Amino acid sequence: DQQVKQNSPSLSVQEGRISILNCDYTNSMFDYFLWYKKYPAEGPTFLISISSIKDKNEDGRFTVFLNKSAKHLSLHIVPSQPGDSAVYFCAASEWSGNQFYFGTGTSLTVIP
Amino acid sequence: GAGVSQSPSNKVTEKGKDVELRCDPISGHTALYWYRQSLGQGLEFLIYFQGNSAPDKSGLPSDRFSAERTGGSVSTLTIQRTQQEDSAVYLCASSLFPGSAGRGGELFFGEGSRLTVL
């Protein structure tokens, strides 16, 4: 059973516009969330994280929003750049847990 | 090297053969994870090592899968009697903080080993 879901397998955005990637989860015990970015033939690389005590975390062009009541988080990229084209994975864990649960990924294409 | 190193990068094998995949984590990282990504799927947790503690094997899909970590560093994932459904990219990750989930630690991934079972 997929505890972390990314329902959009792909997304296309014009360069300079905002990219919004969404993630939903089912386990109410999750309280730490991460986004990873993956280029072809490379391993995923850490992008940004957020803990449940916050509802927003910002790092440069990347902002993650967390809505605990809706069990939903999103990654905003503003402005989007062609180099942002990659697969983005959402991941979640419990504070005391060992596992990170990953979504199926969203493939972002930023069109120049 | 500076990052997580995995070998081989690609492995093609025949159904029924055994395979070994190797992971060399970042020096000093005590936590080591194995994940796999099948076509169109997310990253599936397989096994977790932390220091000298007993590994968390809860994600291993069958008893054909096993893993060990020698000397708290290099890890080997072994798949016996491979099946076509074992075809996937096997990703290794390491982390600095013990029990890093939820404590500010992130995973550093290798480039993966792509396994194809014919």
Side-chain angles (χ1 to χ4, degrees):
Chain A
D1 184 31
Q2 195 77 20
Q3 297 193 54
V4 177
K5 300 178 183 178
Q6 294 176 257
N7 292 319
S8 297
S10 63
L11 174 69
S12 291
V13 172
Q14 289 286 339
E15 180 178 5
R17 307 292 288 268
I18 184 171
S19 295
I20 300 176
L21 297 94
N22 293 304
C23 178
D24 296 289
Y25 60 96
T26 57
N27 187 343
S28 59
M29 297 300 292
F30 287 154
D31 54 12
Y32 183 56
F33 306 90
L34 309 92
W35 284 94
Y36 280 80
K37 176 179 179 179
K38 184 181 184 302
Y39 292 117
E42 295 184 10
T45 54
F46 171 74
L47 191 57
I48 192 169
S49 65
I50 188 168
S51 70
S52 59
I53 62 173
K54 294 185 174 182
D55 56 15
K56 175 183 175 181
N57 189 26
E58 190 172 354
D59 183 3
R61 297 185 297 112
F62 302 90
T63 303
V64 57
F65 295 91
L66 175 63
N67 183 334
K68 285 194 69 180
S69 61
K71 297 191 182 68
H72 177 84
L73 66 157
S74 60
L75 174 68
H76 293 209
I77 307 173
V78 182
S80 301
Q81 299 174 354
D84 296 330
S85 297
V87 177
Y88 290 78
F89 289 97
C90 170
S93 73
E94 298 179 31
W95 190 253
S96 60
N98 296 328
Q99 289 190 36
F100 291 86
Y101 295 86
F102 285 81
T104 52
T106 297
S107 178
L108 173 66
T109 301
V110 179
I111 304 164
Chain B
V4 177
S5 177
Q6 291 188 246
S7 62
S9 54
N10 277 287
K11 176 71 175 179
V12 180
T13 191
E14 294 180 348
K15 178 181 173 181
K17 295 287 181 68
D18 297 352
V19 297
E20 284 190 352
L21 307 176
R22 176 190 166 103
C23 173
D24 199 343
I26 293 173
S27 177
H29 280 195
T30 57
L32 187 148
Y33 297 76
W34 283 97
Y35 284 84
R36 73 175 176 181
Q37 185 181 18
S38 304
L39 191 63
Q41 301 296 313
L43 300 179
E44 176 189 4
F45 168 79
L46 297 177
I47 189 169
Y48 162 72
F49 294 91
Q50 172 50 51
N52 295 321
S53 302
D56 177 355
K57 303 179 182 179
S58 60
L60 294 178
S62 78
D63 59 7
R64 296 186 296 104
F65 287 73
S66 63
E68 62 178 23
R69 189 177 184 192
T70 54
S73 181
V74 172
S75 177
T76 302
L77 177 69
T78 301
I79 310 172
Q80 295 178 309
R81 305 180 303 281
T82 52
Q83 303 294 313
Q84 288 183 334
E85 62 262 29
D86 300 335
S87 297
V89 176
Y90 288 81
L91 289 159
C92 176
S94 69
S95 180
L96 179 61
F97 299 109
S100 59
R103 297 175 195 175
E106 69 264 23
L107 301 179
F108 294 83
F109 283 88
E111 295 187 350
S113 293
R114 180 177 295 278
L115 174 65
T116 303
V117 182
L118 302 177

